[in-house]
Amino acid sequence: MSVFSRRKFLSAALAAAACGRTAPEDSEMPTRIFPGPGPFDPRQPQQVILPRPVIQPKNPIYTRQSPASPVHLSSSLVLRSGSSGNVSSAALKNPMGQDMELLEVKFEVSGDLSGTSAAYGGTVLCSLEMGNYKLTNTSIPVWGFGRAENLDGEVKTDTTDTKVWVAYSWRLPRPMFIPAGAAVVPNFTHAGLIPDDLNVRIGYSARTVNVKPKTFYLPWISQYVTKAFNPISAAGVDVSTELDLVNPNNEALHLQRMTGRVLYTLDGATNEVLPFSLAQSIYLRITDSYGRPLVRNFTPFRSVFGALTRSWEMDNGAMLDPQSYYLVNVRKDAVAYSSGGGAAAQAFISMVGWREMRSL
Amino acid sequence: MPNNSESFQSVSPVLLSSPFTLLENNSAIPNSGFMSYPFRKAIVIEEIRWSLQVTSSGAQPNLGALVYTKLSLGRHFLMRDKVPIWLLGTAMAVSQEEISDNTLTTPTAYSHYRWRLPEPLYVAAGQVLSSTFFRGVDGFGTMTGEVTYVGRTVAPNQPVPKVLAVPYVAPFITNQTSYQQSNEAHLFNPFDIPIRIQRLTGRVTVTSAWLYSPTPVVPGSAITILMNDSWGGKMVNNNTGPSDVFDTVRAAWTVDTIMPPKGVYEIKVWNIPSIAYSVHVAMIGVREERL
C-alpha cells in the first residue's frame, strides 16, 4: 500500500519543496494515482485523468467504423398490478449485428401522480438472463441493482401531465460482453404492492467492440426480502436462508456491493424514505457460510446500508466462495408512533457482484 | 467446488459499528471493543459513516455541524484538531443530513454522513481506529449516534505494509464577526513529509435560526473568501462567495494536489455578518507514515 507508489516520487516532492522549484523533467517519473500530463509540480494542481487511447483494430472489416462506438438500446412495456411481462428482446440486440459490451442498465418506472411513486422501485421486479446464463437469482426489485447515486433525484414529478417518473441506474462492475445476435433479456413482474398500472422502460448503455475478450465477466445478483413486519408497535425477527444471498455458481463471486432499502405501507401510503425512524428500528447482523461475522453486532439498517447511497460498497477485492452464502439476521424493534398505524414494513437486501468465465 | 476456493475465504467484507451518547458540552468515546475486528486479523477501513439523532420538534438541524470528531490509529492522528463531521465527506444527499420525523410520539431529527477515505487505512490485527466525539452547547439536549467503519479483511498471506497511508484532516472554523483569517494552526501540513490533498470542503452555519446550511447561500449574506498557498500564490484570487468555492452540489472543492512539508493554505473570510454565522472549511488529504 503506497500513497505515491514509489519513493522516487516522494523524494521529488521533498526536493521541490526544499528549493521552491518544480521537479526536473524525468522520463521515468512514476505513474501517479491520478495521472496528469507533464512533470510533477507540487504547486500546480494536477490535471484531469486523460481518456484512454483508442487502439485501432487490425481487422480490416472494422477500419471504417469506430472501434468502440457507444450504443444505447431500450424497450418498454405496461405492467398491470400483480402481472409479469417481457419487453421486446429484439430491441435490446445490437442493431448493427456486432459484438458489444454492456456498461450500464437503466430502469425507468412511471405512473399516475396519484400513485405512491417512492414505492415503484420495490414494486417492479426484474430478472435478467442471456441465453443459458442467468444473471439474477430471482426477480430483483429495480432499486436493488445500483447504489443511490442521486437519492434526491430518483423521483421526479411532473404536475403538468400528472405523471411521476422514478429512475434507477446500475453501472455494471465490469463490462459484460454480449456476442452479436445475443441479448440480455429482462422479465418484469409487478409485485402488486400498489394497485396502479406502471410503465416500465429498461435501457442498456453499451459500446460496440471488435475483439472478443479473453475473460468474460457475468454479473450476478441475488436478493433477500424480509417478512412483512408490523412497522410500529410490534417487535419481530427474521433470518434469510441459504437460498437468498447466495452464490450458487461454480465460480467465486467478486462482490460489487450490497444494497438495502425499506418499504413501508403506513397510514395507507407506501413509501421508501419516510418515516425515517422505522428504518432505524430495524437492526441487522450478517454472517457468512462459515459463521464469520460481516456485521458482528446488531446494527441499525441505515448504518449497514448508508443513508446517502442505500448501499455498502464492496468492490475492493472481497469475494464470496462458490456455492456459499451470507445469512442476515433481522431484528425489528417496536417504535412509538403518533398516528394510527399501518400495515407492513419490509427490508430489501440485494447482493451484487460478478464472476469470471473463460468462455461463454 | 473449485480447488482454489480456499483463497477466496480470506477476503471478506467487514462492518464494525458502535452506538454512543453525547451530552451537550461534553465528549464521548464509542465502545472500542465493538470497533475492533474480533478475529485478530488485519483489516482495511475504506469508509466511515455517522448517524446522529436528537429529539426535535420542528427544527431540521444538520447535526454534523454540531458534532466534532477526532480519529487516531495508535500514535498516528488522522486529524490535527477536532473536525465537524459534515466536513469530512462530500454532501452526497443533503436530504439525508436533515431528516425530521414528526410522526413519532417523540419527534426526532436525524443526520447521516459518509466519508470515503482518500486511501484505505490498514488496521493491524488487534489495533483499533479510535473515535472521540465532542459537542458544545446547542440546545438540542441529549444526542445519540452510531459510528460505523466499513472495509474488508486483509488476506492472511499479505505482508504487513512498511508504509502506511494515513488520512489527514485539518479544519478552519470562524468564530468572529466581520473578518477572520486562518494561520499555521489550521490548513497546515505539520509533518516532514508531503500530503496529497484530495479535496477542500466548506460549509456555512447560521446558528441563530437553527439552520445549519449545507450550502453557504444565505440570503442577505455577503460572505466572501480569498485563499493563498504557502508561496503567496493565489488559490482564490477575487473575493468569491463560499458557494462558488465549495460548490453547492457537493460542498467540496476537489483539488488532488500535493502540499509540501510545512505547507499551508491561508484562507481569509470577509463580511461575516454576525457571530451567528460560521464558515467551516477543512482540508482532506493523506500522508505516508513509515512503520
Side-chain angles (χ1 to χ4, degrees):
Chain A
M1 182 185 308
S2 170
V3 183
F4 306 113
S5 62
R6 283 193 205 171
R7 309 306 313 158
K8 196 171 182 181
F9 180 54
L10 192 60
S11 60
L14 286 167
C19 64
R21 292 182 299 182
T22 57
E25 192 84 37
D26 185 354
S27 59
E28 294 182 359
M29 187 65 71
T31 304
R32 290 172 229 158
I33 296 172
F34 296 98
F40 169 69
D41 179 352
R43 292 190 56 188
Q44 295 296 324
Q46 295 176 26
Q47 304 301 310
V48 297
I49 300 172
L50 295 173
R52 287 186 298 174
V54 175
I55 301 170
Q56 292 298 327
K58 295 177 181 177
N59 188 335
I61 295 173
Y62 296 100
T63 52
R64 293 185 182 180
Q65 297 173 1
S66 169
S69 176
V71 57
H72 185 83
L73 309 166
S74 71
S75 191
S76 66
L77 81 163
V78 177
L79 271 181
R80 298 202 178 282
S81 182
S83 71
S84 295
N86 288 302
V87 298
S88 167
S89 57
L92 298 176
K93 291 180 181 176
N94 189 331
M96 306 299 289
Q98 293 175 303
D99 299 338
M100 64 178 186
E101 281 182 340
L102 180 60
L103 304 174
E104 186 173 354
V105 178
K106 298 164 182 172
F107 300 99
E108 183 184 286
V109 184
S110 59
D112 291 334
L113 193 57
S114 58
T116 47
S117 55
Y120 288 175
T123 302
V124 176
L125 317 178
C126 177
S127 64
L128 298 169
E129 62 184 28
M130 183 177 74
N132 292 328
Y133 295 100
K134 290 181 67 177
L135 307 183
T136 54
N137 193 32
T138 180
S139 291
I140 311 290
V142 295
W143 67 16
F145 289 85
R147 70 171 193 169
E149 305 221 6
N150 182 1
L151 195 67
D152 299 336
E154 285 183 351
V155 180
K156 292 294 181 191
T157 302
D158 186 348
T159 53
T160 57
D161 63 355
T162 64
K163 284 282 186 185
V164 178
W165 280 268
V166 180
Y168 303 95
S169 75
W170 171 40
R171 283 186 286 172
L172 271 62
R174 296 288 183 278
M176 178 186 171
F177 180 80
I178 302 176
V184 175
V185 178
N187 178 275
F188 288 99
T189 301
H190 189 316
L193 299 177
I194 55 176
D196 305 347
D197 294 351
L198 296 173
N199 303 298
V200 180
R201 175 171 289 275
I202 187 169
Y204 293 157
S205 292
R207 64 183 176 196
T208 58
V209 292
N210 47 32
V211 178
K212 279 190 169 52
K214 293 178 180 176
T215 304
F216 300 89
Y217 302 106
L218 287 181
W220 176 257
I221 305 99
S222 57
Q223 165 85 4
Y224 164 52
V225 181
T226 67
K227 70 178 185 182
F229 293 106
N230 181 319
I232 304 172
S233 56
V237 294
D238 195 27
V239 61
S240 68
T241 72
E242 296 83 350
L243 302 177
D244 294 322
L245 300 177
V246 62
N247 173 21
N249 306 300
N250 289 326
E251 300 82 24
L253 183 70
H254 300 252
L255 296 169
Q256 183 188 23
R257 66 170 59 91
M258 291 173 76
T259 66
R261 304 232 183 189
V262 179
L263 186 72
Y264 300 103
T265 301
L266 200 62
D267 290 341
T270 305
N271 215 324
E272 194 261 332
V273 179
L274 291 173
F276 190 81
S277 309
L278 299 182
Q280 289 300 80
S281 69
I282 296 175
Y283 293 80
L284 304 177
R285 183 177 187 275
I286 304 177
T287 57
D288 66 11
S289 308
Y290 305 93
R292 297 173 303 186
L294 277 68
V295 180
R296 183 174 65 167
N297 304 310
F298 275 102
T299 302
F301 195 87
R302 284 282 170 263
S303 293
V304 179
F305 305 108
L308 279 63
T309 61
R310 306 293 201 244
S311 76
W312 174 2
E313 298 300 307
M314 298 175 172
D315 198 355
N316 51 18
M319 292 187 189
L320 182 59
D321 286 0
Q323 296 152 21
S324 60
Y325 52 86
Y326 290 144
L327 283 181
V328 182
N329 292 270
V330 184
R331 189 188 85 206
K332 159 72 177 61
D333 290 352
V335 293
Y337 188 61
S338 61
S339 187
Q346 276 184 296
F348 293 68
I349 299 171
S350 297
M351 180 177 72
V352 184
W354 81 94
R355 53 188 171 129
E356 289 183 16
M357 307 280 285
R358 289 296 170 193
S359 62
L360 286 179
Chain B
M1 185 171 296
N3 56 11
N4 59 348
S5 63
E6 279 296 317
S7 62
F8 300 144
Q9 299 174 21
S10 51
V11 178
S12 171
V14 171
L15 190 143
L16 304 167
S17 185
S18 175
F20 61 90
T21 301
L22 187 55
L23 305 178
E24 278 192 69
N25 208 17
N26 216 320
S27 63
I29 300 175
N31 187 335
S32 60
F34 286 3
M35 308 310 288
S36 64
Y37 190 62
F39 294 107
R40 208 169 171 79
K41 286 176 68 175
I43 64 170
V44 170
I45 295 175
E46 300 175 319
E47 183 178 318
I48 303 176
R49 299 178 191 146
W50 298 271
S51 295
L52 306 170
Q53 70 180 76
V54 293
T55 300
S56 173
S57 57
Q60 289 192 339
N62 199 318
L63 299 173
L66 307 176
V67 178
Y68 293 62
T69 188
K70 195 168 184 181
L71 294 159
S72 65
L73 182 68
R75 62 187 176 87
H76 302 298
F77 283 83
L78 275 67
M79 285 144 188
R80 178 179 174 84
D81 199 356
K82 56 191 180 186
V83 180
I85 284 174
W86 72 351
L87 284 183
L88 290 167
T90 58
M92 287 191 69
V94 173
S95 65
Q96 302 303 298
E97 296 179 359
E98 300 173 352
I99 297 169
S100 185
D101 187 354
N102 295 316
T103 59
L104 291 172
T105 306
T106 306
T108 306
Y110 299 89
S111 294
H112 293 267
Y113 306 90
R114 165 187 188 264
W115 180 27
R116 194 83 179 166
L117 302 185
E119 293 283 338
L121 178 63
Y122 182 90
V123 180
Q127 206 172 17
V128 182
L129 175 63
S130 70
S131 294
T132 308
F133 295 93
F134 307 88
R135 182 183 166 204
V137 176
D138 50 44
F140 280 106
T142 302
M143 182 184 296
T144 57
E146 188 95 18
V147 57
T148 305
Y149 300 157
V150 184
R152 62 175 170 85
T153 60
V154 175
N157 56 357
Q158 185 169 324
V160 176
K162 294 178 180 175
V163 176
L164 201 63
V166 183
Y168 182 70
V169 183
F172 170 60
I173 295 161
T174 66
N175 55 7
Q176 296 176 14
T177 304
S178 184
Y179 173 79
Q180 194 168 355
Q181 77 176 61
S182 67
N183 56 36
E184 287 74 13
H186 302 115
L187 310 181
F188 178 60
N189 174 8
F191 306 104
D192 294 327
I193 52 176
I195 295 176
R196 199 193 102 207
I197 305 297
Q198 181 192 31
R199 67 168 68 98
L200 299 165
T201 57
R203 306 208 193 193
V204 175
T205 66
V206 188
T207 55
S208 58
W210 297 122
L211 291 171
Y212 292 87
S213 307
T215 56
V217 180
V218 180
S221 167
I223 295 176
T224 58
I225 285 176
L226 289 177
M227 289 185 75
N228 296 334
D229 65 13
S230 308
W231 295 274
K234 303 297 183 189
M235 296 169 63
V236 179
N237 189 20
N238 299 311
N239 282 298
T240 308
S243 60
D244 292 325
V245 180
F246 308 104
D247 68 84
T248 54
V249 176
R250 300 169 65 245
W253 174 11
T254 300
V255 288
D256 186 32
T257 187
I258 304 291
M259 176 182 273
K262 312 300 181 190
V264 65
Y265 293 149
E266 181 189 61
I267 179 168
K268 299 173 182 175
V269 184
W270 304 79
N271 302 328
I272 306 170
S274 73
I275 197 71
Y277 291 74
S278 179
V279 177
H280 290 196
V281 178
M283 178 181 82
I284 318 287
V286 62
R287 68 186 191 271
E288 281 187 337
E289 290 278 7
R290 285 203 165 275
L291 296 179

